[in-house]
C-alpha cells in the first residue's frame, strides 16, 4: 500500500492507523499547493480530488477520505482491535465519533488555515471548535480513549485535530480530560513514530 501524505495534514490519522495496525506501506510526500509529488509527478493523476490522505492499495485501487481509510486499515488488521467488529453497536459508535470529528471539528478548522479569511471570521470558527472540544472533554471523563479503554482509529483522528489546536495555540487548560487524553495518545510508541517520520515530534 502507498499512503500519500503532507506533513501535519489530516493524513497523519491514517499514518498512525497504519503503524498501529502493523501493516506494510510506503509513504509518499505530497506538495498540496503545487499538487506535486517529491519526484515532480502530478498528484492529480493519483487523486483527482487533489487532497490527502489518499491510499493506493496493492491492487492499484485508490481509497480517499480519512474516516473511510482508517476503517479499512482497521479491518485489514482486525486482531489489533483498532475498530469494533462490523455490524456491532460499538462499530456504529465509532462511526459516530469519526463523523463528529470530520464534520464538526475538522471542517471548522479548515477556514482558520485560510490566508485570505478575516481574523473575525477565524475567531468565529475557533470558538466553534472550542465548543466541540468542550463536548469531547465531557465525554472523556473516566475514559482513557474515545471508545473507553481501547485505542481506536478515531483516537488517531482526534489527536491529529489536537495537534492542529497546538499549532494555532488554542488554550485547552480548562479541559483537563482532553489534555490528559492528548498526552496519553502522544505517548503511544506508534504515534511517536508517525510524528517522527513526518518531522512533527514537536506536535506531541
Amino acid at each position: 500500500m502507498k499512503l500519500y501524505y503532507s506533513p501535519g495534514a489530516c493524513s497523519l490519522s491514517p499514518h498512525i492507523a497504519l503503524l498501529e495496525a502493523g501493516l506494510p506501506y510506503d509513504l509518499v510526500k505530497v506538495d498540496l499547493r503545487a499538487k506535486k509529488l517529491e519526484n515532480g509527478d502530478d498528484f492529480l493523476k493519483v487523486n483527482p480530488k487533489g487532497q490527502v490522505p489518499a491510499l493506493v492499495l496493492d491492487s492499484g485501487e485508490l481509497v480517499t477520505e480519512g474516516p473511510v481509510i482508517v476503517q479499512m486499515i482497521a479491518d485489514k488488521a482486525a486482531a489489533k482491535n483498532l475498530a469494533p467488529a462490523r455490524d456491532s453497536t460499538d462499530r456504529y459508535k465509532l462511526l459516530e465519533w469519526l463523523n463528529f470529528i470530520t464534520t464538526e471539528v475538522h471542517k471548522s478548522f479548515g477556514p482558520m488555515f485560510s490566508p485570505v479569511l478575516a481574523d473575525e471570521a477565524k475567531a468565529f470558527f475557533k470558538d466553534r471548535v472550542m465548543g466541540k472540544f468542550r463536548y469531547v472533554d465531557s465525554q472523556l471523563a473516566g475514559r482513557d480513549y474515545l471508545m473507553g479503554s481501547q485505542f481506536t482509529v478515531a483516537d488517531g483522528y482526534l489527536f491529529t485535530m489536537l495537534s492542529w489546536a497546538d499549532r494555532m495555540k488554542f488554550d485547552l487548560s480548562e479541559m483537563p480530560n482532553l489534555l490528559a487524553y492528548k498526552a496519553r495518545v502522544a505517548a503511544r510508541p506508534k504515534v511517536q513514530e508517525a510524528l517522527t517520520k513526518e518531522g512533527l515530534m514537536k506536535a506531541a
Side-chain angles (χ1 to χ4, degrees):
M1 292 187 289
K2 283 185 181 178
L3 176 67
Y4 290 82
Y5 83 107
S6 182
C10 53
S11 46
L12 177 62
S13 172
H15 192 183
I16 291 171
L18 282 165
L19 289 167
E20 291 278 357
L23 296 173
Y25 69 97
D26 292 319
L27 203 55
V28 184
K29 190 174 179 180
V30 179
D31 181 335
L32 286 177
R33 285 186 179 160
K35 307 299 181 190
K36 297 286 186 183
L37 307 183
E38 281 190 298
N39 65 3
D41 285 355
D42 184 359
F43 178 53
L44 292 173
K45 290 182 178 178
V46 177
N47 179 15
K49 292 179 180 177
Q51 298 170 321
V52 294
L55 186 69
V56 175
L57 307 180
D58 293 339
S59 65
E61 184 179 356
L62 172 70
V63 184
T64 63
E65 305 302 328
V68 175
I69 292 172
V70 295
Q71 287 182 85
M72 174 176 281
I73 291 167
D75 288 336
K76 286 179 177 292
K80 298 286 188 175
N81 297 314
L82 293 171
R86 293 174 186 169
D87 298 326
S88 67
T89 302
D90 279 347
R91 183 57 171 257
Y92 293 110
K93 195 68 182 173
L94 177 77
L95 283 168
E96 186 180 327
W97 274 119
L98 288 171
N99 277 275
F100 176 81
I101 296 166
T102 200
T103 60
E104 301 296 333
V105 182
H106 187 171
K107 289 306 176 188
S108 292
F109 261 112
M112 287 185 273
F113 287 109
S114 171
V116 298
L117 201 64
D119 288 344
E120 294 83 357
K122 291 182 180 181
F124 167 82
F125 285 104
K126 182 176 181 178
D127 286 345
R128 175 180 284 181
V129 172
M130 287 292 283
K132 305 307 177 184
F133 279 158
R134 288 187 192 97
Y135 166 75
V136 176
D137 181 72
S138 73
Q139 297 302 300
L140 284 169
R143 295 184 186 183
D144 288 339
Y145 300 107
L146 290 172
M147 295 291 292
S149 60
Q150 177 65 44
F151 177 91
T152 68
V153 291
D155 295 300
Y157 195 5
L158 179 58
F159 177 79
T160 300
M161 297 298 101
L162 289 170
S163 74
W164 289 5
D166 264 1
R167 199 186 311 175
M168 295 186 170
K169 297 183 168 44
F170 279 32
D171 181 5
L172 304 179
S173 59
E174 295 181 5
M175 306 177 206
N177 298 323
L178 191 61
L179 286 176
Y181 165 87
K182 178 176 169 290
R184 191 176 301 119
V185 176
R188 293 179 69 85
K190 297 302 183 184
V191 173
Q192 292 196 5
E193 185 178 345
L195 291 169
T196 300
K197 286 185 173 182
E198 295 195 18
L200 299 168
M201 271 309 290
K202 289 181 181 177

